[in-house]
Amino acid sequence: MNNTNPAIWREAAEELSIDRNDVQVWRVDLRTARCEIEQLRQILSNDELQRAGRFYGQQHRERFILARGTLRRILGRYMNIHPEKLGFSYINSKPEIMPELDGKRLRFNISHAGDYMLAAITADRMIGVDIELISVDRPHLRIAERFFSHRETTTLRALPEPQQIGAFYACWTRKEAYIKARGLGVFRGLDCFSVSLAPGEAAALTETESDPEEIKRWTILDINPASGYRAAAAVEGGDVKFRFYDWKP
Ligand SMILES: CC(C)(COP(=O)(O)OP(=O)(O)OC[C@H]1O[C@@H](n2cnc3c(N)ncnc32)[C@H](O)[C@@H]1OP(=O)(O)O)[C@@H](O)C(=O)NCCC(=O)NCCS
């Protein structure tokens, strides 16, 4: 399988449907969503409003409202219910739709960076997504040594310098997507598994310390969200059909 996305972001049909083999990834431009921040605020639950209020700084507060409000709108369309009626439960801070609301067993994961949020939706497959804003000024090798596995760091170091930043972000987003799909806690065991990262190598989980079968259990896909960003999704199982939609407020 060629795990790259040629980045064809389309407008979705009015009626949304999703099958067991689908992964539907939504790209939300938070700058565009800002025009409806007041309406989005009104569909948040009390605990979400309290959480928004606890963010330090208006930018973070607004980003949470825009992201969570838009997520509610997207999920509400799949489930054919009013967005404010949705309820979430949390395991390790990972939100899931309350089972009693969700006859379709929708699963989702979101990630935000810079001006974008990605929301990846499946019908009952574990899913994780990560988007990062590329920064050339980061101490990439130092971060890699702290968080990446031995195999990943060795591969990264061996690359010619101009290829290292791309490989670093490929590795980072694939790792985060996988760890988010599994709903693992933060900073847990990032060095205990490896993903591919060399240029031209298909996105994949390549090594785990726990269960060797785990490698075959996951599909990893690179997503091209916008210039200057890098993203990846990890989904349980194979034979997956990805679709990419632009959210229109
Ligand atoms: C919290 C974490 C899950 C992602 O954090 P992040 O990259 O800062 O944020 P993202 O925007 O990608 O994702 C945040 C969203 O993921 C969801 N989320 C929260 N906890 C989660 C978990 N344990 N698993 C999966 N998803 C989770 C939430 O919806 C959250 O958005 P919300 O707060 O608006 O509800 C976590 O993986 C993390 O902090 N990792 C940092 C590890 C690290 O330093 N890696 C370095 C290189 S590998």
PDB file of all heavy atoms in Angstrom, residues 214-242:
ATOM      1  N   GLU A 214       1.630  -6.408  16.680  1.00  0.00           N
ATOM      2  CA  GLU A 214       1.102  -5.042  16.675  1.00  0.00           C
ATOM      3  C   GLU A 214       1.428  -4.315  15.351  1.00  0.00           C
ATOM      4  O   GLU A 214       0.626  -3.528  14.855  1.00  0.00           O
ATOM      5  CB  GLU A 214       1.723  -4.306  17.873  1.00  0.00           C
ATOM      6  CG  GLU A 214       1.291  -2.896  18.099  1.00  0.00           C
ATOM      7  CD  GLU A 214      -0.112  -2.753  18.679  1.00  0.00           C
ATOM      8  OE1 GLU A 214      -0.799  -3.770  18.859  1.00  0.00           O
ATOM      9  OE2 GLU A 214      -0.526  -1.613  18.902  1.00  0.00           O
ATOM     10  N   ILE A 215       2.585  -4.618  14.780  1.00  0.00           N
ATOM     11  CA  ILE A 215       3.019  -3.950  13.544  1.00  0.00           C
ATOM     12  C   ILE A 215       2.011  -4.155  12.422  1.00  0.00           C
ATOM     13  O   ILE A 215       1.737  -3.254  11.642  1.00  0.00           O
ATOM     14  CB  ILE A 215       4.410  -4.476  13.131  1.00  0.00           C
ATOM     15  CG1 ILE A 215       5.440  -3.996  14.149  1.00  0.00           C
ATOM     16  CG2 ILE A 215       4.809  -4.035  11.740  1.00  0.00           C
ATOM     17  CD1 ILE A 215       6.772  -4.679  14.003  1.00  0.00           C
ATOM     18  N   LYS A 216       1.449  -5.373  12.351  1.00  0.00           N
ATOM     19  CA  LYS A 216       0.515  -5.693  11.262  1.00  0.00           C
ATOM     20  C   LYS A 216      -0.883  -5.136  11.536  1.00  0.00           C
ATOM     21  O   LYS A 216      -1.737  -5.152  10.685  1.00  0.00           O
ATOM     22  CB  LYS A 216       0.402  -7.214  11.110  1.00  0.00           C
ATOM     23  CG  LYS A 216       1.697  -7.879  10.719  1.00  0.00           C
ATOM     24  CD  LYS A 216       1.435  -9.348  10.412  1.00  0.00           C
ATOM     25  CE  LYS A 216       2.604 -10.204  10.883  1.00  0.00           C
ATOM     26  NZ  LYS A 216       2.210 -11.461  11.478  1.00  0.00           N
ATOM     27  N   ARG A 217      -1.087  -4.709  12.767  1.00  0.00           N
ATOM     28  CA  ARG A 217      -2.435  -4.337  13.183  1.00  0.00           C
ATOM     29  C   ARG A 217      -2.800  -2.903  12.814  1.00  0.00           C
ATOM     30  O   ARG A 217      -3.927  -2.473  12.989  1.00  0.00           O
ATOM     31  CB  ARG A 217      -2.530  -4.517  14.700  1.00  0.00           C
ATOM     32  CG  ARG A 217      -3.897  -4.870  15.197  1.00  0.00           C
ATOM     33  CD  ARG A 217      -3.886  -5.158  16.685  1.00  0.00           C
ATOM     34  NE  ARG A 217      -3.234  -6.409  17.026  1.00  0.00           N
ATOM     35  CZ  ARG A 217      -2.556  -6.633  18.160  1.00  0.00           C
ATOM     36  NH1 ARG A 217      -2.398  -5.668  19.045  1.00  0.00           N
ATOM     37  NH2 ARG A 217      -2.010  -7.802  18.389  1.00  0.00           N
ATOM     38  N   TRP A 218      -1.842  -2.123  12.318  1.00  0.00           N
ATOM     39  CA  TRP A 218      -2.066  -0.687  12.138  1.00  0.00           C
ATOM     40  C   TRP A 218      -1.733  -0.224  10.736  1.00  0.00           C
ATOM     41  O   TRP A 218      -0.761  -0.692  10.136  1.00  0.00           O
ATOM     42  CB  TRP A 218      -1.210   0.106  13.135  1.00  0.00           C
ATOM     43  CG  TRP A 218      -1.657  -0.140  14.528  1.00  0.00           C
ATOM     44  CD1 TRP A 218      -1.201  -1.116  15.378  1.00  0.00           C
ATOM     45  CD2 TRP A 218      -2.692   0.549  15.219  1.00  0.00           C
ATOM     46  NE1 TRP A 218      -1.889  -1.068  16.559  1.00  0.00           N
ATOM     47  CE2 TRP A 218      -2.804  -0.048  16.486  1.00  0.00           C
ATOM     48  CE3 TRP A 218      -3.528   1.616  14.899  1.00  0.00           C
ATOM     49  CZ2 TRP A 218      -3.733   0.381  17.430  1.00  0.00           C
ATOM     50  CZ3 TRP A 218      -4.452   2.050  15.839  1.00  0.00           C
ATOM     51  CH2 TRP A 218      -4.542   1.439  17.088  1.00  0.00           C
ATOM     52  N   THR A 219      -2.538   0.709  10.253  1.00  0.00           N
ATOM     53  CA  THR A 219      -2.215   1.427   9.022  1.00  0.00           C
ATOM     54  C   THR A 219      -1.837   2.850   9.415  1.00  0.00           C
ATOM     55  O   THR A 219      -2.570   3.499  10.166  1.00  0.00           O
ATOM     56  CB  THR A 219      -3.446   1.485   8.091  1.00  0.00           C
ATOM     57  OG1 THR A 219      -3.835   0.151   7.775  1.00  0.00           O
ATOM     58  CG2 THR A 219      -3.130   2.243   6.809  1.00  0.00           C
ATOM     59  N   ILE A 220      -0.692   3.301   8.922  1.00  0.00           N
ATOM     60  CA  ILE A 220      -0.271   4.683   9.174  1.00  0.00           C
ATOM     61  C   ILE A 220      -0.291   5.417   7.835  1.00  0.00           C
ATOM     62  O   ILE A 220       0.170   4.876   6.819  1.00  0.00           O
ATOM     63  CB  ILE A 220       1.165   4.760   9.763  1.00  0.00           C
ATOM     64  CG1 ILE A 220       1.403   3.705  10.855  1.00  0.00           C
ATOM     65  CG2 ILE A 220       1.497   6.172  10.226  1.00  0.00           C
ATOM     66  CD1 ILE A 220       0.988   4.064  12.228  1.00  0.00           C
ATOM     67  N   LEU A 221      -0.821   6.609   7.827  1.00  0.00           N
ATOM     68  CA  LEU A 221      -0.895   7.371   6.582  1.00  0.00           C
ATOM     69  C   LEU A 221      -0.407   8.801   6.814  1.00  0.00           C
ATOM     70  O   LEU A 221      -0.798   9.440   7.788  1.00  0.00           O
ATOM     71  CB  LEU A 221      -2.339   7.435   6.088  1.00  0.00           C
ATOM     72  CG  LEU A 221      -2.464   8.149   4.742  1.00  0.00           C
ATOM     73  CD1 LEU A 221      -2.458   7.144   3.597  1.00  0.00           C
ATOM     74  CD2 LEU A 221      -3.706   9.014   4.666  1.00  0.00           C
ATOM     75  N   ASP A 222       0.464   9.260   5.907  1.00  0.00           N
ATOM     76  CA  ASP A 222       0.849  10.674   5.944  1.00  0.00           C
ATOM     77  C   ASP A 222      -0.257  11.494   5.321  1.00  0.00           C
ATOM     78  O   ASP A 222      -0.852  11.091   4.323  1.00  0.00           O
ATOM     79  CB  ASP A 222       2.131  10.900   5.127  1.00  0.00           C
ATOM     80  CG  ASP A 222       3.349  10.361   5.842  1.00  0.00           C
ATOM     81  OD1 ASP A 222       3.328  10.278   7.080  1.00  0.00           O
ATOM     82  OD2 ASP A 222       4.321  10.022   5.146  1.00  0.00           O
ATOM     83  N   ILE A 223      -0.493  12.652   5.906  1.00  0.00           N
ATOM     84  CA  ILE A 223      -1.514  13.560   5.378  1.00  0.00           C
ATOM     85  C   ILE A 223      -0.820  14.884   5.087  1.00  0.00           C
ATOM     86  O   ILE A 223       0.005  15.339   5.879  1.00  0.00           O
ATOM     87  CB  ILE A 223      -2.628  13.782   6.429  1.00  0.00           C
ATOM     88  CG1 ILE A 223      -3.300  12.451   6.776  1.00  0.00           C
ATOM     89  CG2 ILE A 223      -3.647  14.797   5.951  1.00  0.00           C
ATOM     90  CD1 ILE A 223      -4.237  12.526   7.966  1.00  0.00           C
ATOM     91  N   ASN A 224      -1.166  15.474   3.966  1.00  0.00           N
ATOM     92  CA  ASN A 224      -0.582  16.769   3.636  1.00  0.00           C
ATOM     93  C   ASN A 224      -1.627  17.857   3.891  1.00  0.00           C
ATOM     94  O   ASN A 224      -2.463  18.122   3.054  1.00  0.00           O
ATOM     95  CB  ASN A 224      -0.159  16.756   2.167  1.00  0.00           C
ATOM     96  CG  ASN A 224       0.584  18.013   1.801  1.00  0.00           C
ATOM     97  OD1 ASN A 224       0.698  18.929   2.605  1.00  0.00           O
ATOM     98  ND2 ASN A 224       1.083  18.061   0.582  1.00  0.00           N
ATOM     99  N   PRO A 225      -1.601  18.480   5.075  1.00  0.00           N
ATOM    100  CA  PRO A 225      -2.702  19.376   5.429  1.00  0.00           C
ATOM    101  C   PRO A 225      -2.613  20.742   4.754  1.00  0.00           C
ATOM    102  O   PRO A 225      -3.623  21.291   4.346  1.00  0.00           O
ATOM    103  CB  PRO A 225      -2.581  19.522   6.946  1.00  0.00           C
ATOM    104  CG  PRO A 225      -1.226  19.035   7.314  1.00  0.00           C
ATOM    105  CD  PRO A 225      -0.607  18.343   6.142  1.00  0.00           C
ATOM    106  N   ALA A 226      -1.407  21.291   4.653  1.00  0.00           N
ATOM    107  CA  ALA A 226      -1.209  22.620   4.062  1.00  0.00           C
ATOM    108  C   ALA A 226       0.299  22.861   4.026  1.00  0.00           C
ATOM    109  O   ALA A 226       1.050  22.205   4.755  1.00  0.00           O
ATOM    110  CB  ALA A 226      -1.885  23.689   4.918  1.00  0.00           C
ATOM    111  N   SER A 227       0.688  23.820   3.237  1.00  0.00           N
ATOM    112  CA  SER A 227       2.111  24.138   3.154  1.00  0.00           C
ATOM    113  C   SER A 227       2.636  24.560   4.534  1.00  0.00           C
ATOM    114  O   SER A 227       1.997  25.361   5.224  1.00  0.00           O
ATOM    115  CB  SER A 227       2.257  25.264   2.126  1.00  0.00           C
ATOM    116  OG  SER A 227       3.539  25.760   2.185  1.00  0.00           O
ATOM    117  N   GLY A 228       3.754  24.017   4.937  1.00  0.00           N
ATOM    118  CA  GLY A 228       4.337  24.380   6.226  1.00  0.00           C
ATOM    119  C   GLY A 228       3.862  23.503   7.378  1.00  0.00           C
ATOM    120  O   GLY A 228       4.260  23.721   8.528  1.00  0.00           O
ATOM    121  N   TYR A 229       3.009  22.542   7.085  1.00  0.00           N
ATOM    122  CA  TYR A 229       2.499  21.629   8.122  1.00  0.00           C
ATOM    123  C   TYR A 229       2.807  20.197   7.715  1.00  0.00           C
ATOM    124  O   TYR A 229       2.985  19.887   6.545  1.00  0.00           O
ATOM    125  CB  TYR A 229       0.981  21.761   8.275  1.00  0.00           C
ATOM    126  CG  TYR A 229       0.531  23.071   8.851  1.00  0.00           C
ATOM    127  CD1 TYR A 229       0.436  24.209   8.048  1.00  0.00           C
ATOM    128  CD2 TYR A 229       0.198  23.188  10.191  1.00  0.00           C
ATOM    129  CE1 TYR A 229       0.011  25.430   8.575  1.00  0.00           C
ATOM    130  CE2 TYR A 229      -0.232  24.404  10.723  1.00  0.00           C
ATOM    131  CZ  TYR A 229      -0.320  25.508   9.904  1.00  0.00           C
ATOM    132  OH  TYR A 229      -0.749  26.717  10.438  1.00  0.00           O
ATOM    133  N   ARG A 230       2.792  19.332   8.713  1.00  0.00           N
ATOM    134  CA  ARG A 230       2.965  17.911   8.464  1.00  0.00           C
ATOM    135  C   ARG A 230       1.944  17.183   9.333  1.00  0.00           C
ATOM    136  O   ARG A 230       1.694  17.600  10.470  1.00  0.00           O
ATOM    137  CB  ARG A 230       4.394  17.532   8.869  1.00  0.00           C
ATOM    138  CG  ARG A 230       4.769  16.109   8.641  1.00  0.00           C
ATOM    139  CD  ARG A 230       5.644  15.961   7.415  1.00  0.00           C
ATOM    140  NE  ARG A 230       5.522  14.581   7.004  1.00  0.00           N
ATOM    141  CZ  ARG A 230       6.302  13.997   6.128  1.00  0.00           C
ATOM    142  NH1 ARG A 230       7.273  14.659   5.544  1.00  0.00           N
ATOM    143  NH2 ARG A 230       6.117  12.736   5.799  1.00  0.00           N
ATOM    144  N   ALA A 231       1.386  16.093   8.838  1.00  0.00           N
ATOM    145  CA  ALA A 231       0.378  15.374   9.629  1.00  0.00           C
ATOM    146  C   ALA A 231       0.394  13.895   9.288  1.00  0.00           C
ATOM    147  O   ALA A 231       0.902  13.489   8.235  1.00  0.00           O
ATOM    148  CB  ALA A 231      -1.012  15.962   9.374  1.00  0.00           C
ATOM    149  N   ALA A 232      -0.163  13.093  10.193  1.00  0.00           N
ATOM    150  CA  ALA A 232      -0.294  11.651   9.954  1.00  0.00           C
ATOM    151  C   ALA A 232      -1.495  11.133  10.736  1.00  0.00           C
ATOM    152  O   ALA A 232      -1.923  11.742  11.725  1.00  0.00           O
ATOM    153  CB  ALA A 232       0.971  10.910  10.393  1.00  0.00           C
ATOM    154  N   ALA A 233      -2.031  10.016  10.244  1.00  0.00           N
ATOM    155  CA  ALA A 233      -3.108   9.331  10.959  1.00  0.00           C
ATOM    156  C   ALA A 233      -2.698   7.881  11.161  1.00  0.00           C
ATOM    157  O   ALA A 233      -1.966   7.313  10.343  1.00  0.00           O
ATOM    158  CB  ALA A 233      -4.409   9.395  10.162  1.00  0.00           C
ATOM    159  N   ALA A 234      -3.166   7.286  12.249  1.00  0.00           N
ATOM    160  CA  ALA A 234      -2.953   5.854  12.504  1.00  0.00           C
ATOM    161  C   ALA A 234      -4.311   5.237  12.746  1.00  0.00           C
ATOM    162  O   ALA A 234      -5.114   5.768  13.533  1.00  0.00           O
ATOM    163  CB  ALA A 234      -2.068   5.656  13.731  1.00  0.00           C
ATOM    164  N   VAL A 235      -4.594   4.148  12.037  1.00  0.00           N
ATOM    165  CA  VAL A 235      -5.906   3.504  12.188  1.00  0.00           C
ATOM    166  C   VAL A 235      -5.712   2.005  12.341  1.00  0.00           C
ATOM    167  O   VAL A 235      -4.809   1.410  11.741  1.00  0.00           O
ATOM    168  CB  VAL A 235      -6.824   3.869  10.995  1.00  0.00           C
ATOM    169  CG1 VAL A 235      -6.261   3.417   9.677  1.00  0.00           C
ATOM    170  CG2 VAL A 235      -8.222   3.302  11.187  1.00  0.00           C
ATOM    171  N   GLU A 236      -6.584   1.442  13.160  1.00  0.00           N
ATOM    172  CA  GLU A 236      -6.532   0.012  13.461  1.00  0.00           C
ATOM    173  C   GLU A 236      -6.959  -0.778  12.218  1.00  0.00           C
ATOM    174  O   GLU A 236      -7.983  -0.454  11.606  1.00  0.00           O
ATOM    175  CB  GLU A 236      -7.546  -0.199  14.584  1.00  0.00           C
ATOM    176  CG  GLU A 236      -7.646  -1.543  15.158  1.00  0.00           C
ATOM    177  CD  GLU A 236      -8.886  -1.606  16.074  1.00  0.00           C
ATOM    178  OE1 GLU A 236      -9.716  -0.676  16.106  1.00  0.00           O
ATOM    179  OE2 GLU A 236      -8.995  -2.629  16.743  1.00  0.00           O
ATOM    180  N   GLY A 237      -6.166  -1.778  11.839  1.00  0.00           N
ATOM    181  CA  GLY A 237      -6.538  -2.671  10.740  1.00  0.00           C
ATOM    182  C   GLY A 237      -6.024  -2.204   9.393  1.00  0.00           C
ATOM    183  O   GLY A 237      -5.349  -1.175   9.285  1.00  0.00           O
ATOM    184  N   GLY A 238      -6.370  -2.997   8.359  1.00  0.00           N
ATOM    185  CA  GLY A 238      -5.927  -2.671   7.003  1.00  0.00           C
ATOM    186  C   GLY A 238      -7.119  -2.453   6.098  1.00  0.00           C
ATOM    187  O   GLY A 238      -8.249  -2.343   6.566  1.00  0.00           O
ATOM    188  N   ASP A 239      -6.829  -2.384   4.784  1.00  0.00           N
ATOM    189  CA  ASP A 239      -7.885  -2.218   3.781  1.00  0.00           C
ATOM    190  C   ASP A 239      -8.731  -0.981   4.071  1.00  0.00           C
ATOM    191  O   ASP A 239      -9.958  -1.049   4.145  1.00  0.00           O
ATOM    192  CB  ASP A 239      -8.761  -3.491   3.777  1.00  0.00           C
ATOM    193  CG  ASP A 239      -9.604  -3.565   2.520  1.00  0.00           C
ATOM    194  OD1 ASP A 239      -9.268  -2.865   1.545  1.00  0.00           O
ATOM    195  OD2 ASP A 239     -10.608  -4.301   2.529  1.00  0.00           O
ATOM    196  N   VAL A 240      -8.049   0.119   4.260  1.00  0.00           N
ATOM    197  CA  VAL A 240      -8.711   1.342   4.701  1.00  0.00           C
ATOM    198  C   VAL A 240      -8.852   2.306   3.523  1.00  0.00           C
ATOM    199  O   VAL A 240      -7.946   2.435   2.707  1.00  0.00           O
ATOM    200  CB  VAL A 240      -7.876   2.044   5.804  1.00  0.00           C
ATOM    201  CG1 VAL A 240      -8.656   3.188   6.408  1.00  0.00           C
ATOM    202  CG2 VAL A 240      -7.454   1.074   6.869  1.00  0.00           C
ATOM    203  N   LYS A 241      -9.992   2.976   3.463  1.00  0.00           N
ATOM    204  CA  LYS A 241     -10.238   3.961   2.406  1.00  0.00           C
ATOM    205  C   LYS A 241     -10.269   5.351   3.059  1.00  0.00           C
ATOM    206  O   LYS A 241     -11.132   5.617   3.897  1.00  0.00           O
ATOM    207  CB  LYS A 241     -11.602   3.652   1.787  1.00  0.00           C
ATOM    208  CG  LYS A 241     -11.783   4.111   0.378  1.00  0.00           C
ATOM    209  CD  LYS A 241     -13.039   3.499  -0.217  1.00  0.00           C
ATOM    210  CE  LYS A 241     -14.279   4.059   0.439  1.00  0.00           C
ATOM    211  NZ  LYS A 241     -15.479   3.294   0.343  1.00  0.00           N
ATOM    212  N   PHE A 242      -9.300   6.184   2.694  1.00  0.00           N
ATOM    213  CA  PHE A 242      -9.251   7.533   3.273  1.00  0.00           C
ATOM    214  C   PHE A 242      -9.991   8.526   2.384  1.00  0.00           C
ATOM    215  O   PHE A 242      -9.914   8.448   1.154  1.00  0.00           O
ATOM    216  CB  PHE A 242      -7.794   7.990   3.425  1.00  0.00           C
ATOM    217  CG  PHE A 242      -7.100   7.415   4.621  1.00  0.00           C
ATOM    218  CD1 PHE A 242      -6.482   6.167   4.560  1.00  0.00           C
ATOM    219  CD2 PHE A 242      -7.050   8.107   5.822  1.00  0.00           C
ATOM    220  CE1 PHE A 242      -5.843   5.625   5.661  1.00  0.00           C
ATOM    221  CE2 PHE A 242      -6.407   7.567   6.933  1.00  0.00           C
ATOM    222  CZ  PHE A 242      -5.801   6.329   6.847  1.00  0.00           C
TER     223      PHE A 242
END
